[in-house]
Amino acid sequence: MYLSDSGNSAIFREIILTVKGLPDELNKFCKDILLECEQFCSYERLSSFCRGHSTLYFLNFELKSASNQDELFELNLPIFLENNHKEYGWSFSNLLKALIKNCHEGDEGKKEKLQKILAEIVKLNNQPQGDPRGNAIESKTIIEYRQILFKSIIEQIDFIEQENAVIEALKRNSTGAFLVHGYDERYGQKIFITRLFRKFPQFKNYMKITISLAGMSKVKELWNQTSSYFYDSDQTSEISPEQIRYKIFECLETQNIIFIFSEADRAYKSFIPKVINEFWKPIVEVKNQKKCCLTMILIDSRRTVCVKAKDYLAWNHLEHQYPKFPLHLDSNSNFSEQLLDQWLNNAIKQKIVPKDVLPGALMKESEGGVPELVYRKICSYCDVPWEEFEQCLIQ
């Protein structure tokens, strides 16, 4: 994490526990539980366990052998505590998460204790503490820091052309349909949608129906998955499209609905026209009588939908086919160097990223501004694991 070297400026620390170790009671509790785990039976077992997890693999060369379990714990706990990987984060929390996942049926007691340790660690990390240099740490936690970083990226690194097209379309009609696409999955389709959800009042008080279209060839499959949002899962195959549409219209009396259909590029070639004609269009034709907003977003990560369904897309929101046909937004593309340098200068002033990151570096290190690579590089500058940032995005 970026540490300011000036007086009493804001200092964000991932983990203060690495300086002083665990508090005595937590250390004892932790030792009792970890020694119950088969992974701490021997150095060989512990080493093998770490090699099997990408978040712990790099520690394999640092672990120390021991003559007994107590010694194994005492020698290796500091190693887990003191390692904070740029990409994977703090090794001690990664160890606990890996042990929790590895618990078998019947290990509920041990699993619960490991979860309790993890919870105690989170509490300690979220408390303001002193810095070993003598500086005071502001009462901003690591969670707050990441929220600041996430908000900065969402609000300042934008897809302005696509966003303006959505704004204009939704101003005219409370029903909207959009094709969001890029050269490949690295071009920010998810973060663009996240940005829309944060900015548009139409996307408040909504019911989100998220379905992957990968491998789909029949509209019946889509109706079945949609029905699971309104009926018990064991009933879905028995529910007719008419019944599901009724539930949709009923919901639209009081709540906005947003369909997010991901991996549209991985559906069968003839399927997307069927989705538009047999699923979406009948809903739109009735929805106009309802007050709430209805939106469909197709996500295409390989720019193939325009080929598969070019005759079923609208190229302007003023066309009479829209919104029965989704609006073809401009393709997501590389960010400009000007935009990235502007964001970087602001982020340095706000002490979000280190001041030694040079102008132009973000552009160069992201293969010319590829959106996901830009986000990854920013995360690495700030010691924020990419996986945690990615979890904030709409799936």
Side-chain angles (χ1 to χ4, degrees):
M1 188 73 58
Y2 167 42
L3 298 183
S4 169
D5 55 5
S6 60
N8 292 321
S9 298
I11 298 175
F12 296 102
R13 292 296 298 262
E14 169 80 35
I15 187 65
I16 302 300
L17 299 178
T18 60
V19 178
K20 298 181 179 179
L22 297 175
D24 290 344
E25 288 187 12
L26 183 57
N27 182 289
K28 183 178 184 306
F29 182 61
C30 184
K31 181 176 180 179
D32 291 343
I33 304 311
L34 290 184
L35 294 188
E36 286 183 20
C37 299
E38 59 188 19
Q39 291 80 7
F40 276 80
C41 289
S42 67
Y43 164 78
E44 289 76 19
R45 291 296 298 273
L46 183 60
S47 176
S48 177
F49 182 71
C50 290
R51 287 200 306 273
H53 291 78
S54 58
T55 59
L56 300 170
Y57 183 87
F58 72 100
L59 288 177
N60 185 54
F61 305 101
E62 300 186 33
L63 296 178
K64 298 178 181 179
S65 59
S67 57
N68 56 59
Q69 278 188 287
D70 285 349
E71 188 178 59
L72 185 68
F73 173 84
E74 300 295 343
L75 291 177
N76 289 291
L77 179 63
I79 294 173
F80 289 106
L81 287 176
E82 293 167 9
N83 274 279
N84 187 14
H85 194 277
K86 283 188 175 182
E87 182 177 356
Y88 300 124
W90 189 35
S91 297
F92 186 55
S93 64
N94 288 335
L95 171 68
L96 293 172
K97 291 173 186 176
L99 290 171
I100 290 168
K101 281 187 178 180
N102 198 68
C103 286
H104 307 296
E105 290 186 16
D107 288 343
E108 284 78 11
K110 182 169 64 178
K111 183 176 181 179
E112 186 177 331
K113 292 174 184 177
L114 288 168
Q115 289 171 332
K116 184 175 180 180
I117 294 174
L118 193 56
E120 289 298 319
I121 293 300
V122 170
K123 283 183 190 176
L124 287 171
N125 285 341
N126 287 344
Q127 293 173 1
Q129 303 189 33
D131 178 61
R133 303 178 189 181
N135 296 326
I137 291 183
E138 291 186 354
S139 60
K140 290 185 175 65
T141 67
I142 181 60
I143 295 174
E144 291 172 316
Y145 170 79
R146 289 177 181 175
Q147 288 173 343
I148 292 169
L149 175 65
F150 182 69
K151 182 179 179 182
S152 174
I153 293 173
I154 288 291
E155 294 185 354
Q156 297 177 35
I157 304 181
D158 54 32
F159 302 85
I160 195 66
E161 294 84 4
Q162 296 89 336
E163 186 175 302
N164 286 341
V166 174
I167 290 172
E168 289 303 313
L170 292 179
K171 275 183 182 178
R172 292 179 59 89
N173 198 324
S174 62
T175 301
F178 306 97
L179 173 65
V180 177
H181 60 113
Y183 293 103
D184 58 43
E185 67 279 356
R186 304 175 303 164
Y187 276 80
Q189 290 88 333
K190 289 180 181 179
I191 202 167
F192 171 60
I193 296 171
T194 303
R195 182 178 165 89
L196 292 181
F197 270 69
R198 291 169 68 94
K199 295 191 69 171
F200 285 90
Q202 292 92 332
F203 294 161
K204 305 296 182 184
N205 181 32
Y206 65 86
M207 177 181 187
K208 182 178 71 175
I209 298 175
T210 304
I211 297 172
S212 169
L213 303 184
M216 280 198 190
S217 60
K218 297 179 180 179
V219 178
K220 177 63 176 172
E221 298 175 69
L222 184 56
W223 283 119
N224 285 346
Q225 291 205 33
T226 303
S227 69
S228 66
Y229 285 83
F230 300 97
Y231 297 92
D232 293 336
S233 58
D234 58 350
Q235 296 178 301
T236 55
S237 60
E238 304 170 7
I239 307 300
S240 70
E242 290 75 20
Q243 290 173 295
I244 302 167
R245 278 198 292 266
Y246 176 80
K247 284 289 188 180
I248 291 171
F249 301 140
E250 187 178 55
C251 182
L252 283 169
E253 294 288 349
T254 57
Q255 193 174 25
N256 302 325
I257 295 181
I258 301 175
F259 290 97
I260 299 179
F261 295 146
S262 64
E263 300 184 288
D265 50 290
R266 297 181 58 197
Y268 280 84
K269 184 175 181 179
S270 61
F271 184 62
I272 300 302
K274 291 178 182 177
V275 171
I276 296 168
N277 266 333
E278 301 174 28
F279 180 90
W280 176 247
K281 191 175 175 183
I283 297 174
V284 172
E285 289 174 341
V286 178
K287 184 269 159 189
N288 288 330
Q289 304 168 20
K290 308 299 178 184
K291 295 179 181 179
C292 291
C293 297
L294 172 68
T295 308
M296 177 181 72
I297 299 175
L298 288 170
I299 304 177
D300 175 7
S301 295
R302 295 185 295 182
R303 299 182 72 200
T304 62
V305 171
C306 344
V307 177
K308 292 178 178 179
K310 62 181 179 179
D311 296 329
Y312 298 89
L313 299 174
W315 303 85
N316 188 299
H317 72 277
L318 298 176
E319 293 178 15
H320 73 276
Q321 296 98 326
Y322 178 82
K324 294 178 183 178
F325 288 3
L327 179 62
H328 179 280
L329 300 178
D330 288 344
S331 176
N332 287 9
S333 56
N334 294 36
F335 296 130
S336 69
E337 185 167 3
Q338 180 183 3
L339 175 66
L340 297 183
D341 283 350
Q342 182 180 358
W343 179 85
L344 187 60
N345 289 333
N346 290 334
I348 289 173
K349 288 177 184 177
Q350 297 168 18
K351 295 183 172 63
I352 296 174
V353 298
K355 61 185 178 182
D356 59 353
V357 180
L358 300 175
L362 195 49
M363 189 73 171
K364 182 178 179 181
E365 295 173 0
S366 61
E367 297 181 12
V370 174
E372 184 177 306
L373 299 184
V374 168
Y375 311 141
R376 285 181 178 269
K377 286 310 300 182
I378 292 172
C379 286
S380 71
Y381 293 154
C382 303
D383 285 347
V384 173
W386 163 249
E387 290 77 11
E388 292 192 17
F389 181 85
E390 191 177 29
Q391 285 172 7
C392 298
L393 306 181
I394 296 199
Q395 301 298 325

